[in-house]
Amino acid sequence: MKMYCYQCQEAAKGIACTSAKGVCGITPEVINIQDLSVYLLKGLSIYTQKARENKIVTNGIYKFVNHVLFTTITNANFTVETSVKQSKAILEYRKDIEAKLAEKGVVLENLPEYATWDGDEKDFEVKSQSIGGKIDAKNEDIRSLRALVLYGLKGLAAYADHANVLGFEQQNIFEFTEKALVSLTNDNLTLEENIALVLETGKFGVEVMALLDKANTETYGHPEITKVNIGVQKNPGILISGHDLKDIEELLKQTEGSGVDIYTHSEMLPAHYYPELKKYKHLVGNYGGAWWSQKTDFETFNGPILFTTNCIVPPKKNATYNDKVFTTGNTGFDGWKHISEGKNGEEKDFSEIIELAKKCKAPTEIETGEIIGGFAHNQVMELAGTVVEAVKTGAIKKFFVMAGCDGRMKSRNYYTDFAENLPKDTVILTAGCAKYRYNKLNLGDIGGVPRVLDAGQCNDSYSLAVIALKLKEVFELDDINDLPIAFNIAWYEQKAVIVLLALLHLGVKNIKLGPTLPAFLSPNVAKVLVETFGINGINTVEEDIKTMMA
Ligand code: FSO
Ligand code: SF4
């Protein structure tokens, strides 16, 4: 079976994954059916637009759209079953709106195939293969711009989904997603109009990250400076990975007093920084490294593991942890048990995981020490006096925003070397799993301010932008690019695409993007990004530090 995917940084040969399995381990069956659900979402959006124009209520549909897009992100879901269910649901939603429109005498005509195609489960496979992952546009630049919009939208949907889960939503973000999905099918849009759509996606990237920041901080308080233990305790534990804070909150509540400790993995580390989560005494530490180190980390953890979102790495067949991994939310993996949503708004039921944990050995210690984090915008602004003074006296010469993702490619050692070789009078601002390349190095501090300031998860890159904008005010500058800040962003999957587009929207120029530029950028689109925004790839550590310090 054929596949075509180039949505992440690991696309095979820097072009696309086309063989029997993607580099991430996804099979053609799964990726094709996920592409079918995206194809059908475009058609559904034509209907939801019409429904809104005709004041037809479509409760919950936009949240569902976010959830489906989020499911198709790299390393989130490896099952055919989930996307079959979602594709069926899309068709049902569409038919429901069609019937309601018909009642009002509105009939849609001359629709494209993705808005009319109908079939049941047995037809999905053939149809999904015929779509085959390629973004449909004859012109390679339009195709590239559509890819930027679609992958940006997937990242946007992921962050919107997290906010939605906490009860926060924003109608204009829903409507933008709808408009963008419809625009992706509009062959009449010019190149310029497609570029405008890419930039508008960035605008809504800022909005969605602001919404998620509000959702997280209003629910769990503002992140505080926190030291997180990376060693282990004597009790058995549950390791929780991914980005969903509501899941960890429910797990912490349900394990309180049970004798089971909770450890975070990868992007769940920043949960320790939130007052309403760190108050749980049995949230005892962070275990292991970034997402791609899970195959070794999970072997020694000894207890159950819960995935709340990406990034999953398919395990070896004989992995000792195979019977101990659970998925929830949009994640899924054949052979791993899935924990469903709670019924009628109740909490998810994690009792099976907790009972399993009680029978397991405590984690094996793989390292000792602490890492420090919690430097989101509110906390950093409390330190503003010290930071501004340090800049004025020259104690801090420059800030380096090194947010984004980590990955398994050797070339990412660049980021460790970069951090290690930066002059000692510089400070790294980080967010996302990119930090695992340097957050355990002893880089010291400047007058008590640590040289690595971790704001949180990848979505907290927003926090770094807020910090930059506030510094711009303090120093009374007109342009964010006049600040002593340089951006060296590492990307991997589609959430990093929306982070990048959001930074462009905020006017940030000269971003270095690595370890490689996206495979879905056509030469002309890459040229526009270079000429308009100064985006450039990475070189050697030495050269990059020299040019970025200048
Ligand atoms: Fe990393 Fe994975 Fe958070 Fe991504 S764990 S790579 S950009 O999912 O979302 O930073
Ligand atoms: Fe390849 Fe990345 Fe697509 Fe996986 S998500 S198939 S690694 S391009």
Side-chain angles (χ1 to χ4, degrees):
M1 193 188 273
K2 280 196 207 141
M3 67 182 272
Y4 191 94
C5 181
Y6 59 1
Q7 66 173 348
C8 85
Q9 189 271 327
E10 289 189 344
K13 300 195 174 91
I15 302 170
C17 295
T18 53
S19 63
K21 233 179 211 177
V23 174
C24 60
I26 204 157
T27 60
E29 287 82 356
V30 179
I31 197 98
N32 288 344
I33 193 81
Q34 290 182 353
D35 285 336
L36 175 70
S37 65
V38 172
Y39 175 87
L40 295 175
L41 277 185
K42 295 179 196 167
L44 178 64
S45 297
I46 296 177
Y47 274 90
T48 56
Q49 241 179 8
K50 266 283 170 260
R52 273 195 308 109
E53 278 168 33
N54 287 281
K55 311 235 165 342
I56 290 171
V57 183
T58 52
N59 276 342
I61 200 163
Y62 293 108
K63 289 191 213 168
F64 166 77
V65 170
N66 284 336
H67 195 71
V68 175
L69 283 171
F70 190 7
T71 304
T72 68
I73 230 163
T74 302
N75 287 343
N77 198 297
F78 290 79
T79 73
V80 166
E81 192 196 345
T82 308
S83 294
V84 163
K85 253 196 221 153
Q86 291 181 344
S87 296
K88 279 188 189 166
I90 297 169
L91 291 174
E92 268 160 35
Y93 270 123
R94 192 179 84 193
K95 281 178 202 156
D96 182 52
I97 298 176
E98 197 174 13
K100 286 178 177 153
L101 282 168
E103 275 170 28
K104 295 199 167 199
V106 182
V107 180
L108 300 186
E109 279 166 354
N110 300 324
L111 289 172
E113 207 206 351
Y114 33 78
T116 56
W117 186 84
D118 194 11
D120 51 34
E121 201 172 325
K122 64 177 180 353
D123 307 314
F124 283 179
E125 193 179 308
V126 174
K127 183 66 193 166
S128 70
Q129 276 194 66
S130 75
I131 299 166
K134 278 201 177 133
I135 308 258
D136 56 342
K138 285 194 188 79
N139 176 301
E140 74 162 348
D141 298 327
I142 303 274
R143 204 158 56 231
S144 177
L145 292 165
R146 282 184 177 177
L148 265 170
V149 172
L150 175 61
Y151 302 149
L153 273 188
K154 289 189 181 195
L156 186 148
Y159 294 151
D161 187 79
H162 284 304
N164 296 165
V165 164
L166 292 175
F168 288 72
E169 50 187 75
Q170 207 173 294
Q171 185 62 22
N172 66 338
I173 299 177
F174 288 145
E175 288 174 19
F176 173 73
T177 301
E178 176 187 83
K179 174 185 126 173
L181 283 167
V182 173
S183 303
L184 283 174
T185 70
N186 184 351
D187 292 329
N188 297 324
L189 289 190
T190 61
L191 205 64
E192 287 68 30
E193 285 166 330
N194 276 292
I195 293 175
L197 190 63
V198 170
L199 299 180
E200 199 181 358
T201 309
K203 172 176 180 285
F204 282 94
V206 176
E207 295 227 7
V208 80
M209 282 192 267
L211 177 70
L212 181 53
D213 184 73
K214 184 173 147 76
N216 286 341
T217 54
E218 286 190 8
T219 313
Y220 301 113
H222 281 285
E224 298 168 348
I225 301 176
T226 308
K227 285 183 177 158
V228 180
N229 191 352
I230 55 173
V232 300
Q233 308 288 324
K234 293 203 170 63
N235 288 335
I238 297 172
L239 187 58
I240 176 165
S241 195
H243 305 68
D244 196 301
L245 298 182
K246 183 135 193 252
D247 285 332
I248 190 169
E249 183 195 15
E250 292 182 356
L251 183 66
L252 284 164
K253 275 194 204 160
Q254 292 176 34
T255 43
E256 207 170 16
S258 70
V260 173
D261 286 337
I262 303 301
Y263 292 80
T264 53
H265 188 256
S266 189
E267 273 284 72
M268 199 53 93
L269 161 65
H272 292 270
Y273 311 155
Y274 288 92
E276 286 304 310
L277 298 172
K278 68 190 274 190
K279 70 179 186 190
Y280 292 93
K281 295 280 170 288
H282 63 300
L283 175 61
V284 294
N286 188 70
Y287 192 84
W291 63 272
W292 58 273
S293 68
Q294 62 189 257
K295 278 176 159 175
T296 46
D297 295 342
F298 292 180
E299 286 288 343
T300 50
F301 184 72
N302 304 330
I305 297 124
L306 174 64
F307 270 106
T308 65
T309 69
N310 56 339
C311 281
I312 290 174
V313 180
K316 289 199 187 113
K317 282 222 166 60
N318 58 354
T320 57
Y321 57 83
N322 261 338
D323 55 350
K324 288 193 239 140
V325 193
F326 295 78
T327 59
T328 190
N330 75 338
T331 58
F333 194 85
D334 288 329
W336 291 351
K337 181 135 192 219
H338 189 79
I339 306 289
S340 316
E341 296 306 308
K343 295 215 169 73
N344 307 320
E346 282 171 18
E347 288 184 5
K348 291 180 184 175
D349 179 3
F350 294 126
S351 56
E352 189 179 341
I353 312 180
I354 300 166
E355 287 316 306
L356 176 60
K358 287 180 183 165
K359 293 184 202 128
C360 294
K361 284 196 295 182
T364 305
E365 194 150 84
I366 49 174
E367 56 191 342
T368 55
E370 284 175 334
I371 38 186
I372 186 166
F375 297 92
H377 57 90
N378 191 66
Q379 179 68 81
V380 173
M381 282 308 122
E382 280 178 22
L383 302 174
T386 319
V387 173
V388 169
E389 197 49 33
V391 174
K392 283 188 177 157
T393 60
I396 297 178
K397 284 262 159 43
K398 198 147 198 163
F399 296 94
F400 283 82
V401 174
M402 292 179 70
C405 325
D406 197 7
R408 57 205 136 194
M409 283 179 169
K410 276 234 161 60
S411 56
R412 288 187 189 254
N413 288 338
Y414 163 92
Y415 294 101
T416 310
D417 296 345
F418 189 91
E420 270 181 323
N421 286 292
L422 275 174
K424 301 279 173 273
D425 51 8
T426 58
V427 170
I428 296 172
L429 303 173
T430 191
C433 58
K435 62 173 146 287
Y436 283 94
R437 288 279 162 182
Y438 41 80
N439 68 346
K440 293 173 189 171
L441 303 174
N442 187 8
L443 296 180
D445 64 278
I446 300 176
V449 177
R451 286 195 52 233
V452 179
L453 300 182
D454 175 24
Q457 298 179 338
C458 43
N459 45 290
D460 295 307
S461 303
Y462 167 76
S463 224
L464 303 180
V466 171
I467 293 168
L469 291 171
K470 288 201 177 147
L471 286 177
K472 187 184 101 176
E473 263 173 46
V474 174
F475 289 109
E476 295 175 356
L477 299 169
D478 295 330
D479 187 341
I480 195 170
N481 297 294
D482 294 335
L483 281 168
I485 300 186
F487 289 77
N488 194 354
I489 306 286
W491 83 287
Y492 172 59
E493 45 91 343
Q494 300 78 51
K495 285 182 239 173
V497 176
I498 196 63
V499 169
L500 175 73
L501 296 180
L503 290 176
L504 297 185
H505 173 74
L506 291 170
V508 177
K509 295 239 158 66
N510 303 323
I511 297 174
K512 272 205 180 290
L513 184 64
T516 53
L517 293 181
F520 51 81
L521 294 184
S522 68
N524 284 332
V525 170
K527 201 165 153 236
V528 170
L529 291 177
V530 172
E531 286 171 1
T532 321
F533 300 103
I535 287 191
N536 55 93
I538 59 170
N539 303 302
T540 64
V541 168
E542 213 181 16
E543 272 173 82
D544 288 349
I545 291 182
K546 204 167 145 203
T547 50
M548 295 176 94
M549 282 302 289

